[in-house]
């Protein structure tokens, strides 16, 4: 035991003495110069070391501060690498063959800048100089030993890594929190990176190829890499790649399998903020990748992606970005081999429907070739979209108006030409608030490039409509739409849920109540208006669309013919409807507008010269039929009337917007309706709210309406007005401001109750949206109330004036009821 203890003491003394001797005898300057010379000899770069120290015990090691490695020779850029401190151990055995192999290299506080210029020169490629003069670190000459420098393993802590690839237009920056690199001198180094960009953490772990690439060589790399994105507390995205890279210097010759799961593809923006990746959720699966050796003039990641080929694919995604409010969900893309079909399976969801789509886009090889040459090679396409099968309660749900709907697309698409055949059918197909029954359609689309389309052999039929069309869209030199649409039959009543505007009920603005005149239930108000009573006009709307009508008309041409053999509207049939639409250089004409109504011919013409700086509009109606709801919408009026509105007259106007037309409009117009409905709530505001109980609620039948006006100076002077709806008849005259909707109407309403009636003149002021009603005194200053007496039929005179003498539909005869039944009806109790 004593001998062992004595031996240990002797060994300790010897080691201590050896350490002291080495510390004294080692020439630190010479070792420092050897390291700098070795770096210069092997890389062609200049290495600058600040503080430099050597330690022998407990293991030979070196330490350096303020380490700087220069960029490419001759470059005016800053250094490629700067480090606050570098520490490393020296392996002893390699010293025997003059190799300084550094192990456990620890780099603290590093800034690494990787750059490749537009000529393809990369600063991470190290090229030894052809000749190197001997260094003279001191005035006395000494023998220069050629030492080789090698790194076996390394670690980085809190390193800033930035890169810029001007050749591929890539750039980025990340912070390496911790990085471990092992076996750097071996054919398969191991890397383990942990870093973050902004607030997004990531990891990269696995094996890469030999680092002789850094010395200018280009050996093939075997790759096995795994990456994660996010933290363990959240769903962590991951990617794995196993394969090889034949040309690592140029990122070419890739082959291998890529697998992964990414919760949101946009999560990658945390690392690649300029990638502009789409919103794809729960993306995952496997891709077999290989280098397709294609040529492209694109840059960035798209150029890199265009080089990639896919020899098998199995991908899934929970959802894809929406297209025109259609969302693709539960998407699956599969292709087993290059010769297998590329199959796509997805659910398509809109606001009210869910469809199932299945399609094939040629073989995987064909799809790859079309992708690489941007569809210059045409791609076969076959897609079926159908309503998912129902079972249980779903199969008996009467609210689901889709039944047996199936759509098919087949043909080929290409950048030079495409041809697709579309067809479909459905027992019941819901569209907005209506439904088509026993619907079928067929269509062929021919395309030349992406700017010429021919929609030919287009046919549609259902219980509600049937038409054929032939249309050509040409956007090669100037956008133009030409062709024809021939409607055999169209039931607008059955499809009113599609075109009819639905507005929520508007709470009326009730004028201050005034004691009613004796014997009249709210037909008029007794007191006259105060002289200083304030009025609050509604300012005209100044909102303009993003693109004016004139701009849209000047951007395209059109030559279209529309024909309608039989159109049913408001329970009446119209035949031989026809118009020709011509648009050329901003000049729009609809001429002729013709047809045959139930009570005579329909005719009109519309002409708009938008090619001039001061556009002019002219319209003739003799007569013309328009949906009342559409006409009120275009005029910016509340939805009071529903049904066919007959228009007679001629108007002229100037301007680029509808509000300018109203300012400059001149001419004469007659508006009439027979049948249809009128909103009793809005009507009651024009004759007094107390009449509401007599008129009933909701829409009531309109026996007749006739209005005739001369238009000039932004005003419509109404010389004749008459209507009859339910228990109310009214006639009068007045004027109306086309812009502010202010009005002054002199009306004589008459309310009939149980065969009797009462009337009194009233003055209606305010606006259409907020009318103000008061009883109107006669010329002698007295208020007149008429009770009883025979009621004069206002329909004949009002319709004759509105139609300007043209023949038209006669109003229906008044219904005959007993006095008791008429009283209950007028009170809204009996219908």
């Amino acid at each position: 035991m004593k001998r062992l203890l004595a031996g240990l003491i002797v060994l300790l003394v010897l080691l201590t003495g050896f350490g002291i001797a080495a510390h004294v005898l080692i020439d630190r300057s010479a070792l420092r110069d050897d390291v700098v010379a070795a770096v210069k000899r092997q890389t062609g770069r200049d290495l600058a070391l600040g503080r430099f120290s050597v330690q022998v015990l407990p293991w030979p090691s070196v330490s350096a501060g303020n380490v700087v490695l220069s960029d490419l020779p001759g470059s005016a850029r800053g250094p490629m690498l700067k480090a606050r401190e570098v520490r490393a151990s020296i392996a002893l055995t390699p010293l025997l063959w003059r190799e300084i192999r550094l192990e456990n290299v620890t780099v603290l506080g590093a800034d690494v800048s990787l750059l490749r210029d537009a000529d393809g020169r990369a600063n991470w490629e190290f090229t030894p100089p052809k000749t190197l003069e001997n260094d003279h670190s001191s005035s006395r000459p000494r023998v220069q030993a050629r030492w080789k420098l090698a790194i076996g393993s390394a670690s980085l802590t809190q390193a800033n890594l930035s890169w810029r690839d001007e050749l591929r237009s890539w750039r980025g920056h990340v912070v390496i929190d911790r990085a471990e690199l092992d076996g750097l001198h071996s054919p398969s180094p191991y890397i383990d990176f942990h870093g973050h960009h902004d607030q997004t953490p990531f990891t990269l772990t696995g094996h890469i190829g030999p680092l002789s690439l850094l010395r200018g060589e280009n050996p093939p790399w075997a790759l096995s890499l795994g990456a994660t994105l996010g933290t363990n507390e959240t769903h962590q995205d991951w990617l794995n790649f196993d394969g090889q890279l034949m040309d690592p210097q140029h990122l070419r010759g890739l082959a291998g399998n890529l697998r992964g799961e990414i919760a949101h593809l946009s999560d990658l923006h945390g690392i690649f903020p300029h990638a502009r990746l789409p919103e794809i959720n729960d993306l995952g699966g496997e891709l077999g990748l290989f280098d397709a050796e294609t040529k492209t003039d694109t840059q960035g990641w798209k150029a890199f992606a265009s080089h990639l080929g896919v020899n098998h694919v199995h991908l899934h995604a929970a959802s894809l970005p929406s297209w025109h409010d259609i969302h693709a969900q539960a998407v699956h893309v599969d292709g087993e081999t290059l010769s297998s079909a590329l199959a796509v399976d997805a659910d398509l969801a809109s606001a009210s429907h869910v469809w199932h789509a299945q399609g094939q886009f040629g073989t995987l090889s064909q799809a790859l070739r079309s992708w690489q040459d941007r569809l210059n090679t045409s791609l076969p396409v076959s897609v079926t979209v159908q309503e998912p099968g129902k079972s249980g309660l779903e199969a008996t749900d009467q609210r689901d108006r889709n039944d047996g709907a199936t759509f098919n697309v087949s043909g080929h698409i290409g950048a030079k030409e495409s041809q697709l055949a579309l067809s479909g059918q459905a027992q019941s197909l819901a569209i907005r608030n209506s439904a088509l029954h026993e619907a079928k359609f067929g269509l062929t689309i021919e395309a030349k490039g992406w700017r010429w389309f021919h929609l030919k052999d287009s046919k549609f039929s259902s219980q509600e409509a049937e038409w054929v069309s032939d249309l050509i869209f040409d956007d090669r030199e100037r956008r133009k739409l030409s062709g024809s649409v021939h409607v055999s039959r169209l039931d607008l009543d059955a499809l009113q849920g599609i075109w009819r505007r639905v507005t929520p009920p508007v709470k009326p603005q009730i004028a201050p109540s005034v004691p009613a005149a004796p014997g009249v239930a709210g037909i008029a108000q007794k007191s006259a208006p105060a002289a200083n009573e304030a009025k609050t006009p509604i300012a005209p709307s100044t909102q303009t669309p993003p693109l004016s009508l004139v701009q849209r008309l000047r951007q395209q041409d059109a030559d279209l013919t529309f024909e309608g053999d039989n159109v049913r509207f408001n329970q009446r049939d119209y035949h031989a409807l026809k118009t020709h639409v011509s648009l050329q250089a901003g000049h729009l004409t609809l001429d002729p507008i013709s047809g045959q109504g139930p009570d005579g011919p329909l005719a009109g013409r519309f002409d708009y010269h938008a090619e001039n700086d001061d556009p002019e509009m002219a319209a003739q109606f003799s007569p013309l039929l328009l949906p009342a709801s559409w006409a009120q919408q275009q005029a910016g009026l509340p939805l009071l009337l529903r049904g066919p509105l007959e228009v007679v007259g001629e108007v002229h106007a100037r301007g680029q917007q509808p509000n300018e037309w109203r300012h400059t409009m001149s001419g004469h117009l007659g508006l009439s309706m027979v049948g249809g409905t009128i909103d009793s709530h809005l009507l009651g505001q024009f004759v007094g709210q107390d009449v509401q109980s007599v008129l009933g609620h909701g829409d009531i039948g309109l026996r007749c309406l006739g209005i005739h006006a001369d238009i000039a100076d932004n005003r419509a002077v109404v010389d004749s007005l008459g209507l009859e709806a339910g228990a109310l008849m009214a006639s009068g005259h007045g004027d109306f401001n086309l812009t502010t909707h202010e009005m002054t109407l002199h009306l004589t309403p008459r309310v009939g109750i149980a065969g009797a009636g009462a009337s009194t003149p009233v003055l209606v002021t305010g606006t259409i949206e907020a009318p103000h009603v008061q009883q109107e005194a006669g010329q002698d200053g007295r208020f007149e109330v008429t009770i009883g007496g025979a009621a004069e039929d206002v329909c004949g005179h009002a319709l004759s004036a509105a139609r300007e003498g043209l023949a038209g539909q006669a109003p229906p005869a008044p219904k005959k009821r007993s006095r008791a039944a008429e009283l209950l009806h007028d009170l809204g109790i009996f219908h």
Side-chain angles (χ1 to χ4, degrees):
M1 184 68 182
K2 291 181 179 181
R3 292 181 179 179
L4 178 60
L5 181 59
L8 290 176
I9 293 174
V10 172
L11 180 60
L12 179 60
V13 170
L14 291 175
L15 290 175
T16 304
F18 175 75
I20 295 174
H23 184 75
V24 173
L25 296 176
I26 289 178
D27 189 345
R28 293 176 182 79
S29 298
L31 181 58
R32 174 185 184 141
D33 292 343
D34 288 337
V35 171
V36 171
V39 170
K40 183 70 172 181
R41 186 183 310 109
Q42 294 175 220
T43 66
R45 307 294 177 86
D46 294 325
L47 177 66
L49 302 175
R51 174 183 53 80
F52 185 81
S53 63
V54 179
Q55 183 176 340
V56 176
L57 293 177
W59 190 264
S61 62
V62 295
S63 175
N66 299 325
V67 179
V68 177
L69 182 65
S70 67
D71 204 272
L72 287 168
S75 172
R77 296 186 296 265
M80 175 184 175
L81 178 144
K82 292 191 300 184
R84 185 177 71 254
E85 183 178 1
V86 177
R87 298 194 298 263
S89 300
I90 301 176
L92 295 178
T93 303
L95 294 175
L96 298 176
W97 49 83
R98 295 189 181 280
E99 178 180 288
I100 304 174
R101 180 179 298 174
L102 303 179
E103 297 286 356
N104 302 321
V105 177
T106 302
V107 182
L108 303 176
D111 288 309
V112 182
S113 177
L114 303 180
L115 183 137
R116 177 159 58 182
D117 58 25
D119 296 329
R121 294 197 313 158
N123 68 350
W124 60 81
E125 296 177 2
F126 301 102
T127 304
K130 295 181 180 179
T131 60
L132 183 63
E133 297 181 357
N134 292 334
D135 296 328
H136 299 279
S137 57
S138 64
S139 59
R140 65 178 181 85
R142 69 183 182 91
V143 178
Q144 294 292 323
R146 288 183 172 271
W147 287 85
K148 180 180 179 182
L149 181 66
I151 300 176
S153 61
S155 66
L156 286 80
T157 303
Q158 293 301 313
N160 292 307
L161 174 62
S162 61
W163 65 89
R164 186 168 79 253
D165 188 342
E166 297 177 353
L167 184 64
R168 296 183 181 272
S169 299
W170 291 356
R171 69 182 187 274
H173 171 267
V174 295
V175 176
I176 304 298
D177 301 316
R178 176 175 58 86
E180 300 290 339
L181 302 95
D182 197 10
L184 298 181
H185 61 283
S186 70
S188 182
Y190 173 79
I191 63 173
D192 184 5
F193 282 76
H194 295 258
H196 69 273
H197 178 78
D198 289 338
Q199 303 298 320
T200 305
F202 68 91
T203 67
L204 179 63
T205 306
H207 290 272
I208 61 175
L211 295 187
S212 56
L213 170 74
L214 303 179
R215 299 194 299 268
E217 301 177 15
N218 196 17
W221 273 18
L223 297 174
S224 179
L225 295 173
T228 65
L229 188 68
T231 61
N232 293 328
E233 288 75 13
T234 61
H235 182 87
Q236 193 173 63
D237 303 325
W238 63 273
L239 287 172
N240 288 340
F241 179 80
D242 292 288
Q244 63 180 359
L245 189 61
M246 299 303 296
D247 184 1
Q249 282 189 354
H250 304 95
L251 294 180
R252 299 297 299 272
L254 184 71
N257 293 327
L258 178 67
R259 304 176 184 86
E261 294 287 341
I262 300 177
H264 309 285
L265 189 60
S266 58
D267 290 346
L268 297 180
H269 286 150
I271 305 297
F272 308 105
H274 305 291
R276 298 181 181 178
L277 299 172
E279 287 289 341
I280 301 178
N281 299 318
D282 292 333
L283 175 64
E286 178 179 328
L287 287 173
L289 301 177
F290 67 93
D291 196 325
E293 298 293 338
T294 58
K295 296 181 179 180
T296 178
D297 55 0
T298 59
Q299 294 182 335
W301 70 271
K302 292 184 178 179
F304 178 72
S306 66
H307 284 292
L308 293 179
V310 179
N311 53 35
H312 71 270
V313 56
H314 299 285
L315 293 179
H316 60 265
S319 64
L320 301 183
S322 62
W323 180 75
H324 293 280
D325 295 327
I326 297 177
H327 304 266
Q329 302 172 347
V331 182
H332 293 265
V333 181
D334 295 283
E336 190 64 36
T337 65
L338 285 172
S339 59
S340 301
L342 178 61
V344 179
D345 190 281
D347 291 333
L348 306 178
S350 63
S352 55
H353 310 303
V354 176
W355 306 87
H356 185 70
Q358 291 179 309
Q360 292 186 358
F361 296 84
T363 64
L364 184 55
S365 177
Q366 290 174 321
L368 177 62
R369 191 179 307 114
S370 296
W371 160 264
Q372 291 168 348
D373 64 11
R374 301 182 183 181
L375 283 176
N376 282 307
T377 301
S378 61
L379 179 66
V381 173
S382 178
V383 179
T384 299
V385 180
Q386 59 186 356
E387 183 186 15
K390 301 184 180 70
S391 62
L393 295 177
E394 282 186 325
T396 59
D397 189 354
Q398 299 299 319
R399 296 170 298 176
D400 189 346
R401 295 170 294 164
N402 289 333
D403 183 16
T406 303
F407 305 97
N408 299 289
V409 180
S410 61
H412 68 272
I413 57 175
K416 297 180 180 179
E417 64 175 33
S418 304
Q419 181 166 330
L420 295 173
L422 285 72
S423 62
Q425 61 182 5
Q427 293 298 315
S428 178
L429 181 62
I431 302 179
R432 294 187 64 179
N433 296 317
S434 292
L436 297 167
H437 299 87
E438 298 182 6
K440 295 181 181 180
F441 82 92
L443 169 67
T444 299
I445 301 178
E446 293 183 352
K448 297 178 181 178
W450 307 114
R451 306 184 69 178
W452 187 92
F453 298 91
H454 185 188
L455 283 65
K456 67 176 186 178
D457 301 328
S458 175
K459 299 178 181 180
F460 178 88
S461 65
S462 71
Q463 293 182 0
E464 298 77 15
E466 183 177 357
W467 72 75
V468 297
S469 65
D470 189 282
L471 300 172
I472 296 177
F473 176 79
D474 189 351
D475 193 26
R476 292 173 296 186
E477 297 181 359
R478 177 177 173 83
R479 187 179 304 169
K480 183 177 181 180
L481 180 63
S482 59
S484 62
V485 178
H486 188 155
V487 179
S488 301
R489 52 185 174 84
L490 177 61
D491 190 342
L492 291 177
D493 292 344
L495 301 176
Q496 60 179 327
I498 299 176
W499 58 267
R500 181 174 176 176
R501 185 176 68 138
V502 179
T503 55
V506 180
K507 185 177 181 179
Q509 301 182 21
I510 303 175
S513 60
V514 180
V520 180
I523 292 181
Q525 298 168 336
K526 185 175 182 180
S527 62
N532 59 350
E533 184 174 0
K535 300 178 182 179
T536 306
I538 296 179
S541 174
T542 59
Q543 183 178 2
T544 56
L547 193 64
S548 69
L549 174 62
V550 169
Q551 290 173 322
R552 293 196 297 268
L553 294 178
R554 290 176 179 175
Q555 287 180 355
Q556 63 185 39
D557 294 339
D559 186 2
L560 297 170
T561 299
F562 294 92
E563 295 181 348
D565 294 341
N566 187 4
V567 177
R568 185 165 184 80
F569 178 49
N570 203 50
Q571 300 180 352
R572 296 170 66 82
D573 293 323
Y574 299 85
H575 308 281
L577 301 179
K578 184 177 182 180
T579 187
H580 178 254
V581 180
S582 175
L583 174 61
Q584 187 171 8
H587 183 194
L588 173 65
T589 60
L590 277 73
D591 185 23
I593 304 174
S594 62
Q596 184 67 34
D599 303 291
L602 304 175
R605 186 179 189 276
F606 180 83
D607 196 337
Y608 186 45
H609 288 273
E611 74 274 25
N612 302 324
D613 292 336
D614 187 16
E616 298 181 8
M617 182 269 289
Q620 298 176 355
F621 315 101
S622 55
L624 191 66
L625 207 66
L626 300 173
S629 56
W630 178 86
Q632 292 166 106
Q633 182 180 7
Q634 299 305 308
L637 299 175
L639 193 57
L640 177 66
L641 304 169
R642 299 185 189 274
L645 181 67
E646 188 175 283
V647 185
V648 175
E650 181 176 349
V651 293
H652 299 266
R654 299 190 313 275
Q656 299 188 10
Q657 300 291 344
N659 59 341
E660 296 177 357
W661 296 355
R662 291 191 287 268
H663 275 288
T664 60
M665 188 176 295
S666 63
H668 55 92
L669 274 181
L671 308 176
S672 62
M673 285 185 68
V674 173
T677 61
I678 189 169
D679 190 315
S680 63
H681 195 77
L682 295 176
L683 178 62
Q685 297 182 57
F686 285 86
V687 292
Q689 284 296 318
D690 291 339
V691 184
Q692 190 72 53
S693 60
V694 177
L695 294 178
H697 301 281
D699 290 348
I700 58 175
L702 183 68
R703 182 169 177 258
C704 70
L705 169 69
I707 303 174
H708 187 269
D710 291 319
I711 302 172
D713 300 326
N714 198 32
R715 303 191 71 83
V717 179
V718 181
D719 52 46
S720 174
L721 185 153
L723 71 86
E724 181 176 347
L728 175 68
M729 291 189 297
S731 60
H733 62 280
D735 65 87
F736 175 73
N737 189 296
L738 299 178
T739 302
T740 65
H741 297 175
E742 291 179 310
M743 60 185 174
T744 301
L745 296 180
H746 305 275
L747 300 180
T748 303
R750 183 179 191 276
V751 175
I753 301 178
S759 65
T760 184
V762 297
L763 175 66
V764 184
T765 56
T767 66
I768 291 287
E769 294 79 4
H772 181 82
V773 183
Q774 60 191 22
Q775 191 174 5
E776 184 176 29
Q779 294 182 352
D780 57 0
R782 297 182 179 181
F783 297 98
E784 178 181 342
V785 177
T786 302
I787 300 176
E792 181 182 356
D793 188 356
V794 300
C795 290
H797 173 73
L799 292 176
S800 177
R803 293 168 177 168
E804 296 186 350
L806 296 176
Q809 179 185 1
K815 295 182 179 180
K816 299 296 183 179
R817 299 186 181 92
S818 66
R819 284 185 172 270
E822 190 170 336
L823 176 61
L824 294 175
H825 176 270
D826 292 335
L827 293 176
I829 301 173
F830 174 74
H831 297 279

